[in-house]
Amino acid sequence: MDPEASRQQLERQAALDYHAYPRPGKLEIRPTKPMATARDLSRAYSPGVAEACLEIAADPALATRYTAKRNLVAVISNGTAVLGLGNIGAQAAKPVMEGKAVLFKKFAGIDCFDIEVDEPDPEALADLVCRLEPTFGAINLEDIKAPDCFTVERICRDRMGIPVFHDDQHGTAIVVAAAVQNALRLAGKRAQDIRIVGLGAGAAGVACLTMLHKMGVPLDNITVFDRSGVLHAGRTGLAPEQMIFATAPAGLTLEQALKGADMFLGLSGPGALPAESVREMAETPIIFALANPTPEIMPDAARTAAPGAMIATGRSDFPNQVNNVLCFPFIFRGALDAEATEINDAMKLACVDAIAALARQTTSAEVGVAYEGERLTFGPDYLIPKPFDPRLLPTVAVAVARAAMESGAARRLLDLEDYRQALEAEVFKSSLVMRGVFAAARLSRRRIVFAEGEDDRVLRTAQVMSEDSTDRAILIGRPEVIAQRIDRAGLSIQPGRDFEIVNPESDERYRDYWQSYHQVMRRHGVTPDLAKAVLRTNTTAIAATMVHRGDADSLICGTFGQYLWHLNYVSQMLSTPELSPAGALSLVILEDGPLFVADTHVHVEQGPETLARTVLAAARHVRRFGLEPKIALCSGSQFGNLDSRSGRAMRGALAILDSQPRDFQYEGEMHTDAALDPALRERLLPGNRLEGAANVLVYATTDAAGAARNLLKSAAGGLEVGPILMGMGNRAHIVTPGVTPRGLLNIAALAGADVATYG
């Protein structure tokens, strides 16, 4: 077997194994309510379930309150037009429908049942779909051949009071329209002036052309071909949706139609667009060759024929992939949340505008990581966003919900700002708990110096700071390297305008900085020559010196190297009798809410005094997030049952804390499970001082705190914010090398917020 055939065989087997193991298929059903006791069972089923049934019987609209209907979509197919596989039947289509359901859940948190129906007759299929309305909040029709798909959707839309959306038609059309909107902007053309030639008059082709017409392209400017030739008024056997575009003269050829055309839209088959015809098109042609897996013309051939062409395909290995996943999860999300009766033209056009506008914005840090190495800057090779852009959910769903309300399709009115924030909290797990911090950061204008200013994550953070905050980023690094990496990442920030640069190799303040460093460290073994060397090469020392001198308000370092190494230079320059490291506090966001852990990095082993200071600092910082601290002093000893080192330290800290009135809850020493389980804790120590579960866990060693932090992140899937360096008056923060761009942005918000604004 030749290497290519061997590779294909391995990929085929890998795909089959993916579907077969560890359990067959890609979906499962999980309960959303507790089912652990007889009381749970009586509420979930008999007799408690009767109460919900009676309420819905009295008012059917309450089904969206007492059942999962508002978040439940049916993905329905008869398997007559599956992907590029054709009419393979309903059962063979099931892996595709399961995959569609997974995408709904992954990208928009929508639950799905995939339903494969062995029914080729479109009217009978439509009747079956209509009878499912009591179960679902919306219907996604999928992979039904044309023209049957037009009939099925038309009947369902007429009879049903919930959204019915044939994604092969409208999802493709929306993404195509968004890309065309941006292509026209770049080409300096208007929709009402362009001429389009379409090749392929199936469901997707007709829907795309319909959407482009609704964007402003006149019907007389659209010429359509299928395998039988041009669509014209004398053609028979066309569906009403196809006849709308039968405006061309009989006998017109594809080559003739393409002369001077502004756009080619292909949803047909491989190699159907000759390069010679591309040369005959208008200047800066728009070529959407969307046949899969082989387009009507390969992008390199189209680019050779028309160097200024803007090209899209259906493939992920070329720029501008037209992928339905950019649309369907998010348009359904907005429609479901607004309890829309349909997905109307206003909602579709709002989706188009939202997707197009997102591509014109600076690419998010998360997308930069997911598509590392690609240049993701708005232009001919970036007309539409990437599927893994987390901003799609809040951006598109809010636009769709707004359009549903404004057009009268919504049965539920939403506060759109609250709705946006809720969606952002779904895709950015830290969004909700960080909201107050970001708000506080906007009230002050602080200068934040990043010690590792050449790092891509830092550059993306600086980009967001320039767009969304009043803080000023200062980057330590070589200007030419920073410029190169900004260009590679497709960012728009510019030195001077959006941020400042401190070049360790040539900054004019070098002499002042090394002298300041030497002045502080001269009685700690640092000679002038050593001070010069440190301030020429050590960016953390430079950043700390800047804050010490007042040239910056706060520093962030640690994207590489060891935490304690960075802490040494931070402490050298910024520790004072009033300010010194009190511990590192990590916020881990779990499904059940936030949980703080300290001290994860600073004090390898703590005594009573440092523990008490850590507790006080943690209480202060937890309130920065708008939360009331409930602090558990955790140890291997439980309420005095062991004479261990950590037990003695915790009991000593408790005595120090008890020596003065405190305005927060704390208790110790105890095991971690007792901290998190109020019932267990009450059995062990009735009348203890904590109410409910602790939200702050304080340990006597970094070994224990670090283990708890890592377990919460790795085993429990928690998202970390931090570590937050406590005790330094917000003058310094040290991250860890694994910090994500979003994590770095969160720390920048903490650094950018004046502590005084928190009260």
Side-chain angles (χ1 to χ4, degrees):
M1 184 180 294
D2 66 81
E4 178 59 22
S6 177
R7 184 188 65 80
Q8 292 179 357
Q9 178 61 29
L10 288 173
E11 289 184 356
R12 179 179 183 277
Q13 189 59 49
L16 292 173
D17 290 346
Y18 174 85
H19 285 80
Y21 303 108
R23 293 170 55 183
K26 299 190 286 286
L27 294 171
E28 67 177 5
I29 296 175
R30 294 187 179 186
T32 60
K33 301 293 191 297
M35 188 62 68
T37 66
R39 187 181 187 189
D40 294 338
L41 181 60
S42 70
R43 289 176 173 177
Y45 201 52
S46 181
V49 71
E51 302 301 333
C53 293
L54 291 171
E55 289 290 303
I56 296 169
D59 182 0
L62 291 176
T64 59
R65 179 174 183 179
Y66 294 118
T67 75
K69 179 173 181 174
R70 198 173 76 205
N71 196 51
L72 190 61
V73 168
V75 178
I76 301 178
S77 178
N78 63 0
T80 54
V82 179
L83 293 174
L85 305 176
N87 187 355
I88 60 174
Q91 185 155 285
K94 186 172 177 62
V96 178
M97 302 310 122
E98 283 189 358
K100 191 67 174 281
V102 169
L103 295 177
F104 267 112
K105 188 67 173 179
K106 166 67 178 177
F107 288 101
I110 295 172
D111 296 314
C112 285
F113 288 143
D114 64 290
I115 300 176
E116 294 75 33
V117 185
D118 188 10
E119 178 52 76
D121 180 76
E123 293 188 2
L125 177 60
D127 184 65
L128 187 150
V129 174
C130 291
R131 294 174 186 273
L132 296 174
E133 183 170 350
T135 301
F136 297 99
I139 303 293
N140 183 105
L141 300 175
E142 191 78 13
D143 291 351
I144 302 169
K145 71 178 182 179
D148 293 357
C149 59
F150 302 128
T151 302
V152 174
E153 186 182 44
R154 192 185 314 121
I155 293 172
C156 291
R157 285 175 62 93
D158 288 344
R159 287 176 52 184
M160 300 180 80
I162 59 175
V164 179
F165 187 86
H166 185 210
D167 186 47
D168 298 316
Q169 296 182 60
H170 309 299
T172 302
I174 287 167
V175 179
V176 164
V180 171
Q181 184 183 116
N182 281 336
L184 292 175
R185 177 184 289 255
L186 291 170
K189 299 179 180 181
R190 302 186 307 167
Q192 57 264 41
D193 298 330
I194 66 169
R195 189 160 63 81
I196 299 175
V197 175
L199 181 57
V206 168
C208 290
L209 294 169
T210 300
M211 182 62 69
L212 294 173
H213 171 53
K214 289 172 181 175
M215 283 176 55
V217 181
L219 282 175
D220 290 342
N221 289 10
I222 300 174
T223 305
V224 186
F225 294 81
D226 65 6
R227 66 188 63 186
S228 299
V230 69
L231 271 60
H232 59 86
R235 284 277 299 267
T236 59
L238 297 178
E241 290 83 357
Q242 295 167 315
M243 281 300 300
I244 293 172
F245 299 100
T247 59
L252 183 71
T253 66
L254 178 66
E255 290 75 13
Q256 291 170 336
L258 282 167
K259 289 183 178 181
D262 298 279
M263 178 177 176
F264 169 82
L265 175 65
L267 285 142
S268 54
L273 176 61
E276 294 76 13
S277 294
V278 174
R279 295 189 185 95
E280 298 294 321
M281 293 179 68
E283 187 179 355
T284 319
I286 300 168
I287 300 172
F288 282 21
L290 304 181
N292 253 333
T294 305
E296 287 81 357
I297 186 170
M298 295 301 288
D300 54 350
R303 187 87 63 194
T304 299
M310 284 176 280
I311 305 164
T313 71
R315 292 172 45 151
S316 60
D317 53 345
F318 294 113
N320 299 322
Q321 182 195 19
V322 173
N323 190 329
N324 290 10
V325 79
L326 286 171
C327 166
F328 71 81
F330 317 114
I331 197 169
F332 271 93
R333 178 78 278 161
L336 288 168
D337 291 337
E339 294 187 20
T341 57
E342 63 176 345
I343 295 177
N344 57 29
D345 286 346
M347 295 160 72
K348 294 174 192 174
L349 289 169
C351 191
V352 170
D353 291 342
I355 293 171
L358 194 56
R360 298 194 296 269
Q361 298 176 18
T362 304
T363 306
S364 73
E366 289 77 11
V367 179
V369 172
Y371 297 93
E372 188 174 359
E374 295 188 41
R375 183 176 173 82
L376 305 178
T377 305
F378 177 60
D381 288 336
Y382 191 70
L383 298 173
I384 44 178
K386 293 290 189 178
F388 283 98
D389 192 327
R391 299 170 300 176
L392 281 162
L393 177 59
T395 300
V396 177
V398 168
V400 170
R402 177 185 289 108
M405 291 190 293
E406 292 176 351
S407 64
R411 288 176 291 198
R412 179 181 179 223
L413 299 182
L414 300 168
D415 182 310
L416 292 177
E417 185 54 36
D418 288 347
Y419 182 45
R420 179 186 298 279
Q421 291 179 357
L423 293 174
E424 287 176 347
E426 287 187 29
V427 292
F428 303 121
K429 290 175 66 177
S430 62
S431 174
L432 187 62
V433 74
M434 287 294 297
R435 189 176 302 162
V437 175
F438 277 98
R442 294 188 187 100
L443 297 177
S444 60
R445 181 177 174 83
R446 289 171 61 84
R447 299 159 299 167
I448 303 172
V449 57
F450 292 86
E452 295 93 30
E454 297 174 0
D455 190 287
D456 286 348
R457 294 165 293 181
V458 171
L459 296 175
R460 293 188 180 279
T461 301
Q463 175 78 47
V464 177
M465 288 173 61
S466 72
E467 295 173 343
D468 296 340
S469 80
T470 57
D471 296 322
R472 181 77 166 175
I474 304 170
L475 310 184
I476 299 178
R478 295 160 292 178
E480 66 277 8
V481 175
I482 290 173
Q484 180 186 41
R485 293 181 179 177
I486 286 174
D487 181 69
R488 184 180 64 190
L491 304 178
S492 62
I493 49 174
Q494 297 179 16
R497 185 190 70 184
D498 302 306
F499 64 93
E500 299 173 25
I501 294 180
V502 173
N503 185 356
E505 297 177 348
S506 62
D507 194 279
E508 61 184 15
R509 294 168 289 186
Y510 169 68
R511 179 181 178 85
D512 294 334
Y513 283 0
W514 77 253
Q515 287 182 339
S516 293
Y517 181 75
H518 177 254
Q519 184 65 29
V520 173
M521 298 299 297
R522 62 180 181 169
R523 291 192 179 274
H524 296 275
V526 175
T527 65
D529 287 341
L530 181 55
K532 292 177 183 178
V534 169
L535 268 293
R536 184 67 80 188
T537 59
N538 188 317
T539 57
T540 298
I542 296 170
T545 302
M546 291 184 69
V547 176
H548 169 75
R549 290 173 52 87
D551 292 344
D553 299 302
S554 188
L555 76 88
I556 297 175
C557 61
T559 58
F560 70 87
Q562 296 182 351
Y563 191 97
L564 292 178
W565 183 90
H566 291 281
L567 181 62
N568 176 52
Y569 292 99
V570 169
S571 299
Q572 284 178 358
M573 295 304 296
L574 300 181
S575 288
T576 68
E578 296 78 26
L579 299 175
S580 63
L585 181 69
S586 285
L587 163 57
V588 184
I589 301 171
L590 304 167
E591 290 296 328
D592 295 335
L595 187 61
F596 295 83
V597 182
D599 165 26
T600 54
H601 290 85
V602 175
H603 301 292
V604 176
E605 288 193 4
Q606 297 207 68
E609 294 79 11
T610 57
L611 273 169
R613 187 165 178 247
T614 296
V615 169
L616 294 171
R620 186 169 62 251
H621 279 270
V622 167
R623 283 182 169 145
R624 296 180 69 182
F625 295 91
L627 302 171
E628 279 302 309
K630 298 180 180 180
I631 302 178
L633 283 71
C634 297
S635 167
S637 172
Q638 186 135 267
F639 303 121
N641 71 343
L642 285 179
D643 188 28
S644 63
R645 177 179 296 180
S646 68
R648 291 193 299 271
M650 289 296 180
R651 291 191 289 273
L654 200 64
I656 294 172
L657 293 168
D658 288 345
S659 66
Q660 296 183 32
R662 307 295 178 188
D663 61 350
F664 60 90
Q665 296 181 39
Y666 61 93
E667 185 59 280
E669 82 282 12
M670 68 186 82
H671 294 175
T672 302
D673 59 349
L676 300 175
D677 185 343
L680 172 61
R681 188 172 63 249
E682 187 63 23
R683 290 201 304 271
L684 296 171
L685 187 66
N688 66 85
R689 293 179 286 190
L690 279 186
E691 298 175 5
N695 58 11
V696 184
L697 308 177
V698 175
Y699 294 89
T701 68
T702 55
D703 283 352
R709 162 185 171 262
N710 290 330
L711 282 170
L712 290 169
K713 288 171 56 182
S714 302
L719 176 72
E720 183 182 24
V721 176
I724 302 163
L725 182 58
M726 302 185 294
M728 296 300 295
N730 211 28
R731 303 179 78 200
H733 290 288
I734 305 170
V735 299
T736 56
V739 68
T740 63
R742 174 64 49 176
L744 197 59
L745 181 61
N746 287 334
I747 288 293
L750 283 162
D754 191 331
V755 176
T757 63
Y758 289 93

PDB file of all heavy atoms in Angstrom, residues 682-695:
ATOM      1  N   GLU A 682     -21.162  20.573  60.490  1.00  0.00           N
ATOM      2  CA  GLU A 682     -22.058  20.742  61.638  1.00  0.00           C
ATOM      3  C   GLU A 682     -22.050  19.495  62.527  1.00  0.00           C
ATOM      4  O   GLU A 682     -22.163  19.603  63.755  1.00  0.00           O
ATOM      5  CB  GLU A 682     -23.475  21.052  61.145  1.00  0.00           C
ATOM      6  CG  GLU A 682     -24.471  21.402  62.232  1.00  0.00           C
ATOM      7  CD  GLU A 682     -24.117  22.674  62.983  1.00  0.00           C
ATOM      8  OE1 GLU A 682     -23.368  23.525  62.430  1.00  0.00           O
ATOM      9  OE2 GLU A 682     -24.581  22.821  64.130  1.00  0.00           O
ATOM     10  N   ARG A 683     -21.902  18.322  61.906  1.00  0.00           N
ATOM     11  CA  ARG A 683     -21.813  17.103  62.730  1.00  0.00           C
ATOM     12  C   ARG A 683     -20.524  17.076  63.537  1.00  0.00           C
ATOM     13  O   ARG A 683     -20.490  16.626  64.676  1.00  0.00           O
ATOM     14  CB  ARG A 683     -21.893  15.855  61.838  1.00  0.00           C
ATOM     15  CG  ARG A 683     -23.246  15.613  61.222  1.00  0.00           C
ATOM     16  CD  ARG A 683     -23.427  14.159  60.804  1.00  0.00           C
ATOM     17  NE  ARG A 683     -22.387  13.697  59.898  1.00  0.00           N
ATOM     18  CZ  ARG A 683     -22.454  13.792  58.582  1.00  0.00           C
ATOM     19  NH1 ARG A 683     -23.512  14.362  58.017  1.00  0.00           N
ATOM     20  NH2 ARG A 683     -21.481  13.321  57.823  1.00  0.00           N
ATOM     21  N   LEU A 684     -19.457  17.575  62.918  1.00  0.00           N
ATOM     22  CA  LEU A 684     -18.156  17.548  63.591  1.00  0.00           C
ATOM     23  C   LEU A 684     -18.045  18.627  64.662  1.00  0.00           C
ATOM     24  O   LEU A 684     -17.457  18.401  65.730  1.00  0.00           O
ATOM     25  CB  LEU A 684     -17.035  17.732  62.557  1.00  0.00           C
ATOM     26  CG  LEU A 684     -16.897  16.622  61.511  1.00  0.00           C
ATOM     27  CD1 LEU A 684     -15.912  17.047  60.431  1.00  0.00           C
ATOM     28  CD2 LEU A 684     -16.453  15.314  62.167  1.00  0.00           C
ATOM     29  N   LEU A 685     -18.577  19.813  64.376  1.00  0.00           N
ATOM     30  CA  LEU A 685     -18.487  20.918  65.324  1.00  0.00           C
ATOM     31  C   LEU A 685     -19.799  21.699  65.293  1.00  0.00           C
ATOM     32  O   LEU A 685     -19.917  22.706  64.597  1.00  0.00           O
ATOM     33  CB  LEU A 685     -17.311  21.837  64.973  1.00  0.00           C
ATOM     34  CG  LEU A 685     -17.009  22.949  65.998  1.00  0.00           C
ATOM     35  CD1 LEU A 685     -16.520  22.371  67.320  1.00  0.00           C
ATOM     36  CD2 LEU A 685     -15.973  23.924  65.437  1.00  0.00           C
ATOM     37  N   PRO A 686     -20.797  21.227  66.033  1.00  0.00           N
ATOM     38  CA  PRO A 686     -22.086  21.930  66.038  1.00  0.00           C
ATOM     39  C   PRO A 686     -21.914  23.393  66.448  1.00  0.00           C
ATOM     40  O   PRO A 686     -21.135  23.725  67.336  1.00  0.00           O
ATOM     41  CB  PRO A 686     -22.904  21.151  67.069  1.00  0.00           C
ATOM     42  CG  PRO A 686     -22.271  19.790  67.107  1.00  0.00           C
ATOM     43  CD  PRO A 686     -20.805  20.026  66.883  1.00  0.00           C
ATOM     44  N   GLY A 687     -22.631  24.271  65.756  1.00  0.00           N
ATOM     45  CA  GLY A 687     -22.579  25.685  66.081  1.00  0.00           C
ATOM     46  C   GLY A 687     -21.322  26.387  65.618  1.00  0.00           C
ATOM     47  O   GLY A 687     -20.985  27.466  66.126  1.00  0.00           O
ATOM     48  N   ASN A 688     -20.611  25.826  64.623  1.00  0.00           N
ATOM     49  CA  ASN A 688     -19.398  26.472  64.122  1.00  0.00           C
ATOM     50  C   ASN A 688     -19.741  27.794  63.442  1.00  0.00           C
ATOM     51  O   ASN A 688     -20.897  28.077  63.136  1.00  0.00           O
ATOM     52  CB  ASN A 688     -18.634  25.543  63.176  1.00  0.00           C
ATOM     53  CG  ASN A 688     -19.406  25.255  61.904  1.00  0.00           C
ATOM     54  OD1 ASN A 688     -19.360  26.014  60.951  1.00  0.00           O
ATOM     55  ND2 ASN A 688     -20.142  24.137  61.898  1.00  0.00           N
ATOM     56  N   ARG A 689     -18.717  28.593  63.187  1.00  0.00           N
ATOM     57  CA  ARG A 689     -18.932  29.984  62.788  1.00  0.00           C
ATOM     58  C   ARG A 689     -19.171  30.211  61.298  1.00  0.00           C
ATOM     59  O   ARG A 689     -19.440  31.331  60.876  1.00  0.00           O
ATOM     60  CB  ARG A 689     -17.729  30.836  63.244  1.00  0.00           C
ATOM     61  CG  ARG A 689     -17.629  30.957  64.748  1.00  0.00           C
ATOM     62  CD  ARG A 689     -16.427  31.783  65.164  1.00  0.00           C
ATOM     63  NE  ARG A 689     -15.182  31.050  64.997  1.00  0.00           N
ATOM     64  CZ  ARG A 689     -14.003  31.479  65.478  1.00  0.00           C
ATOM     65  NH1 ARG A 689     -13.929  32.629  66.117  1.00  0.00           N
ATOM     66  NH2 ARG A 689     -12.918  30.758  65.302  1.00  0.00           N
ATOM     67  N   LEU A 690     -19.054  29.178  60.490  1.00  0.00           N
ATOM     68  CA  LEU A 690     -19.281  29.331  59.053  1.00  0.00           C
ATOM     69  C   LEU A 690     -20.725  29.003  58.702  1.00  0.00           C
ATOM     70  O   LEU A 690     -21.276  28.012  59.187  1.00  0.00           O
ATOM     71  CB  LEU A 690     -18.357  28.409  58.250  1.00  0.00           C
ATOM     72  CG  LEU A 690     -16.925  28.855  58.001  1.00  0.00           C
ATOM     73  CD1 LEU A 690     -16.239  27.863  57.075  1.00  0.00           C
ATOM     74  CD2 LEU A 690     -16.857  30.246  57.422  1.00  0.00           C
ATOM     75  N   GLU A 691     -21.325  29.787  57.850  1.00  0.00           N
ATOM     76  CA  GLU A 691     -22.658  29.517  57.329  1.00  0.00           C
ATOM     77  C   GLU A 691     -22.538  29.054  55.883  1.00  0.00           C
ATOM     78  O   GLU A 691     -22.026  29.774  55.034  1.00  0.00           O
ATOM     79  CB  GLU A 691     -23.523  30.778  57.392  1.00  0.00           C
ATOM     80  CG  GLU A 691     -23.756  31.299  58.804  1.00  0.00           C
ATOM     81  CD  GLU A 691     -24.523  32.608  58.797  1.00  0.00           C
ATOM     82  OE1 GLU A 691     -24.944  33.042  57.694  1.00  0.00           O
ATOM     83  OE2 GLU A 691     -24.684  33.206  59.873  1.00  0.00           O
ATOM     84  N   GLY A 692     -22.986  27.842  55.634  1.00  0.00           N
ATOM     85  CA  GLY A 692     -22.894  27.313  54.284  1.00  0.00           C
ATOM     86  C   GLY A 692     -21.475  26.884  53.942  1.00  0.00           C
ATOM     87  O   GLY A 692     -20.595  26.785  54.802  1.00  0.00           O
ATOM     88  N   ALA A 693     -21.257  26.651  52.650  1.00  0.00           N
ATOM     89  CA  ALA A 693     -19.944  26.210  52.191  1.00  0.00           C
ATOM     90  C   ALA A 693     -18.954  27.367  52.196  1.00  0.00           C
ATOM     91  O   ALA A 693     -19.311  28.511  51.897  1.00  0.00           O
ATOM     92  CB  ALA A 693     -20.051  25.629  50.788  1.00  0.00           C
ATOM     93  N   ALA A 694     -17.704  27.064  52.550  1.00  0.00           N
ATOM     94  CA  ALA A 694     -16.648  28.069  52.472  1.00  0.00           C
ATOM     95  C   ALA A 694     -16.398  28.429  51.013  1.00  0.00           C
ATOM     96  O   ALA A 694     -16.530  27.591  50.116  1.00  0.00           O
ATOM     97  CB  ALA A 694     -15.372  27.544  53.106  1.00  0.00           C
ATOM     98  N   ASN A 695     -16.033  29.694  50.768  1.00  0.00           N
ATOM     99  CA  ASN A 695     -15.633  30.071  49.410  1.00  0.00           C
ATOM    100  C   ASN A 695     -14.157  30.458  49.332  1.00  0.00           C
ATOM    101  O   ASN A 695     -13.669  30.834  48.266  1.00  0.00           O
ATOM    102  CB  ASN A 695     -16.514  31.194  48.852  1.00  0.00           C
ATOM    103  CG  ASN A 695     -16.512  32.449  49.709  1.00  0.00           C
ATOM    104  OD1 ASN A 695     -15.699  32.586  50.626  1.00  0.00           O
ATOM    105  ND2 ASN A 695     -17.418  33.370  49.417  1.00  0.00           N
TER     106      ASN A 695
END
